[in-house]
Amino acid sequence: MDLRKTQKIALTAVFAAFHAVLFLPEGPWRSFVIYLIPIEGIVLGPAIGFSAALLGSIIARLIKPSIWWMFGIIAEPIGVITAGLLAKGRWKEITVIYGVMLSSYFIHPYGRMLPYWTILDLLIAFVLIYPVSKIGKWIWEKNAKRLPIALILIAFISTVGDSMTRVFLLVPGCLYQYFGLSYEALAYGWFIPGAVGSYIEDLLVSIATLIVGVPLLMSLQKILHLNQPLS
């Protein structure tokens, strides 16, 4: 087995373990995994990143079962794929995924009834996909001023990718029916409070990315000799 393949397997296992561990403490809204997603996608890339996120999220729910398991197991890998694709300068796949989810949301009657302000971050992220795919390659330049800009933008869109997937599953995916929610219960008990929490989380992820994510990514680039995602 060559060194590069061994490195990929080892990093997949390490990130899957971190992914699982960060799920275990109670986060304010979503789990603390949300803070790992951008780095996980950028370092591992979309293919290996997806595998690590899926494996980590499954292990986490086996250790700590949750009735909301289906949200995280699907949403977290989507966020990681998004970060990985943007770090490679790819935008078409993300545009299709986000476009399908947003279209499905607005086709559903509840999507047209719920307040539009609750999904503003989703709409902004969708618009930013293409320009950020061009900026995303700054991650691999030896430029300390450009890297934080690219990383924060990738972190925002990948965090929103997690949110958008949860919204997609809940509304057009009709999981609100599985949980027995009326429109009123969905809107006022889940969706609107969740949107407020999501906006706060977008801000917290940006701050954490700037303070912790930038030096962490720069260190990993040096240690692993990275000049592109692993996949």
Side-chain angles (χ1 to χ4, degrees):
M1 187 179 293
D2 63 81
L3 182 61
R4 192 69 171 173
K5 189 171 183 180
T6 303
Q7 183 188 54
K8 289 179 180 180
I9 294 172
L11 285 172
T12 301
V14 168
F15 273 96
F18 274 124
H19 199 108
V21 168
L22 287 173
F23 173 77
L24 300 179
E26 291 293 334
W29 291 277
R30 285 173 283 184
S31 69
F32 288 104
V33 170
I34 202 70
Y35 299 96
L36 177 67
I37 282 175
I39 301 296
E40 191 172 8
I42 290 168
V43 172
L44 299 182
I48 298 176
F50 174 83
S51 300
L54 181 63
L55 179 60
S57 62
I58 291 173
I59 291 171
R61 272 78 182 181
L62 290 174
I63 296 172
K64 183 184 175 184
S66 168
I67 61 170
W68 326 114
W69 62 269
M70 70 289 290
F71 289 105
I73 285 179
I74 300 171
E76 290 161 14
I78 292 294
V80 171
I81 287 174
T82 299
L85 289 170
L86 289 173
K88 297 186 76 169
R90 289 164 58 180
W91 59 274
K92 292 180 182 178
E93 300 94 327
I94 310 169
T95 302
V96 170
I97 293 169
Y98 282 31
V100 167
M101 290 196 286
L102 279 174
S103 299
S104 300
Y105 176 81
F106 285 115
I107 289 170
H108 193 282
Y110 286 2
R112 299 191 297 274
M113 293 166 64
L114 290 161
Y116 287 123
W117 67 262
T118 57
I119 59 163
L120 280 178
D121 57 340
L122 276 60
L123 298 173
I124 291 169
F126 183 69
V127 172
L128 287 176
I129 290 171
Y130 178 75
V132 173
S133 71
K134 303 306 176 185
I135 295 171
K137 291 184 178 180
W138 291 357
I139 291 287
W140 311 111
E141 295 179 3
K142 305 300 181 183
N143 189 318
K145 293 182 179 179
R146 283 185 161 190
L147 188 147
I149 297 170
L151 183 54
I152 288 174
L153 288 170
I154 290 174
F156 170 69
I157 296 177
S158 58
T159 302
V160 169
D162 179 286
S163 301
M164 190 180 298
T165 306
R166 294 169 191 264
V167 168
F168 172 75
L169 292 171
L170 183 62
V171 180
C174 295
L175 281 180
Y176 69 89
Q177 294 179 345
Y178 172 79
F179 293 110
L181 300 174
S182 63
Y183 171 76
E184 289 74 19
L186 172 67
Y188 301 109
W190 283 46
F191 208 83
I192 292 175
V196 173
S198 184
Y199 287 138
I200 295 171
E201 220 161 32
D202 291 342
L203 177 61
L204 292 177
V205 169
S206 296
I207 294 170
T209 298
L210 186 61
I211 296 172
V212 180
V214 171
L216 176 58
L217 180 58
M218 292 177 72
S219 297
L220 288 172
Q221 286 175 331
K222 290 179 181 178
I223 294 168
L224 302 173
H225 305 291
L226 291 174
N227 55 15
Q228 63 180 356
L230 288 175
S231 66

